[in-house]
Amino acid sequence: MLTAAFPKLENLKCTRFLRAFFRSPYYPFLVAALMAVSELCALEIPVYYIYLLFGILCVFFCEDTLGVLPIACCGYMTFSAKNNPGRFPETTAFADPKVMLALVVMLILAAIVLLGRLVQCILLGRRGAPRLFFGFLVLGAAYMVAGAFSGVYASDTLLYGIVQILSLSFFYFYFYFTVDWEKTDKRYIFIVFTAIAAGLLAEIVGMYFQSGILTAENPHRSMLYTGWGIYNNVGGVMAMCMPAPFYFTLKAKKNGWLFTLLGCLYMLGVILTQSRSAILCGGMVFVAAAVIVLVKTRGKDRVISASLFGVLAAALIVAVILLRSNISSLFTSLFSMDLSDNGRFEIYRNCFAAFREAPVFGMGFYHTPGVVMTNDGVMQHVVFPNTSIDLGFIPPRAHNTILQLLASGGIVALIAYLFHRGQTLFLFFRRPTTEKTVIFLCIAALLLASLLDCHFFNFGPGLLYSCLLISAEGSDRAQAA
């Protein structure tokens, strides 16, 4: 940005250093480490200052905004349990007006800098429309008209629809126009997601210490939470990141099995979240990744990877069968639920009833059966057509993407979603590559888990989703390692 106005800056050592730093494999790990420190130590504001500094330096001095991508992925996972306003309204730092003022100022500065660079890139660029443009356009329109002609349509649905589609698509469009994918290392997105998973693993371990679950007489998985989400949210994101190391198993020239070991460790991290949907769906993706690794690798990497998969499977079987009595104190709530639907079937029936009431445009997001989260982290069911509960901004979620779409937006929303999904599948399976395959596994973990949970309608996972999609599209032009 500045180098375009002042070409002499191009030759400065500090400019070359910054450009190398933001494209190095170490930078994403630094961003992820700051994410974990922020969440574990309640240091949000200092970390946000550092993120803002990184963003400004990247936008002003770098050839593109690739250095913003790790921050875009990690930013929302920085909120600490100690500063969660819902759980600790009296002691949270965000109750301090000075802290909130600092946060607002940082957000405004970040928006000005980022949007300024976007405008510059659009005006100077010669790029056409992104491949997924029409899919996102149609899906966003369907979100915003959800509940139309149902008699209960309100401005809340319009606002939520806008925020929801922006969470899924904003960074897809932003990095499409502001990143030079022809100069981007194909490995970059996998480095980012491997780093995020490492930071998340630290947060998962931290959940067991800061919640007191290790010393509780009757521990329950509801005691596992961060400032940005409960165990289900953390498990869903961890499952999304888990396939990333397997890319390096497939691409490494030697010792690729080390990344298989890392992938197995990340799968254990998913299990530690005690989220059944994340364990089930993440496990399915893990098995798919294992099959790909065993088929594509050769020699020592294949033998050691197969051994690692076998050891992990044997260890889990032993833990469940032989050591269940020893570990059940920590996993009591998980074991005791067995195949319980935890109220989901009732929600699904009510969602279908809402769809029958308004089959074309649905009942809108705020008149849809689902689950809302109270301030103390307790899930409260909302049944159709109950509209008496004060929901705040986050509406009830159905814990199933398809039924959520049908109940909230009717057949129009479902068709729009299927059109978007068709475009993404065409992106992945037209000229398939290793990069697209692993990115597909990351997204598959999100989509599968969203059939049992509400990840696709949470804002945070959408940010990762958008970054994965644009990386898949950009990989066709990105440079080889």
Side-chain angles (χ1 to χ4, degrees):
M1 196 171 184
L2 280 182
T3 54
F6 304 99
K8 290 184 178 180
L9 293 175
E10 293 273 2
N11 301 321
L12 295 180
K13 288 184 179 180
C14 63
T15 301
R16 294 196 297 271
F17 170 79
L18 286 173
R19 291 180 174 181
F21 169 68
F22 284 119
R23 284 185 173 266
S24 74
Y26 307 107
Y27 169 68
F29 280 91
L30 174 59
V31 173
L34 288 170
M35 173 194 78
V37 168
S38 175
E39 198 283 322
L40 294 171
C41 303
L43 294 174
E44 290 95 331
I45 297 302
V47 168
Y48 296 159
Y49 278 124
I50 298 173
Y51 279 0
L52 180 62
L53 176 62
F54 284 165
I56 291 175
L57 290 175
C58 176
V59 168
F60 282 173
F61 293 97
C62 291
E63 298 166 299
D64 61 17
T65 65
L66 187 66
V68 177
L69 190 148
I71 300 175
C73 292
C74 291
Y76 87 99
M77 292 181 284
T78 55
F79 293 100
S80 66
K82 295 178 182 177
N83 283 327
N84 187 320
R87 294 179 183 269
F88 307 106
E90 296 180 356
T91 58
T92 175
F94 296 107
D96 186 342
K98 294 181 180 178
V99 171
M100 289 304 299
L101 177 61
L103 184 60
V104 170
V105 170
M106 283 189 282
L107 288 173
I108 292 174
L109 284 175
I112 292 173
V113 171
L114 291 176
L115 293 178
R117 183 61 183 264
L118 176 63
V119 171
Q120 180 194 43
C121 290
I122 291 176
L123 292 177
L124 297 179
R126 290 281 192 272
R127 298 179 185 176
R131 297 180 192 173
L132 305 181
F133 172 75
F134 289 107
F136 276 126
L137 179 66
V138 171
L139 185 61
Y143 282 169
M144 287 184 276
V145 300
F149 309 110
S150 65
V152 292
Y153 183 81
S155 59
D156 288 348
T157 285
L158 175 63
L159 180 59
Y160 178 78
I162 292 173
V163 175
Q164 175 64 25
I165 196 62
L166 284 177
S167 73
L168 293 171
S169 65
F170 176 79
F171 283 115
Y172 167 81
F173 289 110
Y174 187 83
F175 293 125
Y176 174 83
F177 288 107
T178 64
V179 170
D180 187 347
W181 292 102
E182 293 180 358
K183 296 181 179 179
T184 299
D185 190 335
K186 288 178 179 287
R187 303 172 299 174
Y188 193 80
I189 190 64
F190 306 105
I191 296 172
V192 171
F193 272 67
T194 300
I196 294 172
L200 278 177
L201 192 59
E203 293 189 11
I204 291 168
V205 173
M207 289 195 302
Y208 280 85
F209 287 93
Q210 65 190 9
S211 66
I213 194 172
L214 294 174
T215 57
E217 293 184 3
N218 298 302
H220 192 275
R221 62 179 184 159
S222 63
M223 300 171 67
L224 297 173
Y225 59 87
T226 64
W228 55 271
I230 62 171
Y231 58 92
N232 270 343
N233 306 116
V234 181
V237 178
M238 190 68 187
M240 285 183 70
C241 297
M242 175 267 298
F246 293 112
Y247 172 80
F248 299 103
T249 301
L250 298 170
K251 286 293 188 177
K253 295 181 180 178
K254 61 179 180 178
N255 297 327
W257 63 268
L258 290 171
F259 297 100
T260 299
L261 178 62
L262 188 59
C264 292
L265 179 63
Y266 287 171
M267 185 61 215
L268 289 175
V270 175
I271 295 172
L272 282 175
T273 65
Q274 301 194 35
S275 168
R276 290 186 302 166
S277 61
I279 294 171
L280 174 62
C281 301
M284 294 168 61
V285 171
F286 179 82
V287 170
V291 170
I292 294 172
V293 165
L294 295 178
V295 170
K296 293 294 186 180
T297 55
R298 296 288 184 271
K300 183 177 71 172
D301 282 339
R302 174 186 281 181
V303 172
I304 298 180
S305 292
S307 301
L308 289 171
F309 293 137
V311 169
L312 177 62
L316 291 176
I317 293 172
V318 169
V320 171
I321 296 177
L322 301 181
L323 302 179
R324 180 166 178 163
S325 59
N326 294 329
I327 65 175
S328 62
S329 59
L330 286 180
F331 290 82
T332 298
S333 57
L334 184 61
F335 286 139
S336 64
M337 297 190 73
D338 294 323
L339 297 178
S340 168
D341 69 289
N342 200 24
R344 280 173 171 78
F345 290 158
E346 178 188 8
I347 295 172
Y348 297 163
R349 286 192 295 268
N350 289 318
C351 281
F352 196 69
F355 167 64
R356 286 186 309 212
E357 184 78 11
V360 180
F361 291 101
M363 296 294 293
F365 289 104
Y366 292 88
H367 293 79
T368 299
V371 168
V372 293
M373 193 71 63
T374 59
N375 286 340
D376 57 0
V378 177
M379 292 191 298
Q380 182 175 357
H381 290 239
V382 178
V383 298
F384 178 80
N386 189 340
T387 60
S388 62
I389 298 175
D390 183 11
L391 303 175
F393 181 67
I394 304 298
R397 269 76 55 81
H399 285 66
N400 179 282
T401 302
I402 303 302
L403 289 172
Q404 179 83 65
L405 290 165
L406 287 174
S408 300
I411 196 68
V412 170
L414 180 61
I415 292 174
Y417 174 79
L418 292 177
F419 178 64
H420 167 67
R421 186 58 53 229
Q423 281 201 317
T424 60
L425 292 176
F426 185 75
L427 170 65
F428 286 116
F429 293 106
R430 179 175 178 264
R431 294 197 298 267
T433 62
T434 303
E435 290 77 25
K436 289 181 180 181
T437 299
V438 179
I439 292 174
F440 173 77
L441 291 177
C442 294
I443 291 179
L446 168 68
L447 299 181
L448 288 172
S450 297
L451 295 177
L452 298 170
D453 251 303
C454 48
H455 303 300
F456 196 75
F457 288 91
N458 290 335
F459 302 135
L463 303 178
L464 279 72
Y465 176 76
S466 61
C467 291
L468 286 168
L469 287 178
I470 189 55
S471 296
E473 186 171 333
S475 68
D476 287 335
R477 302 195 304 270
Q479 63 184 12

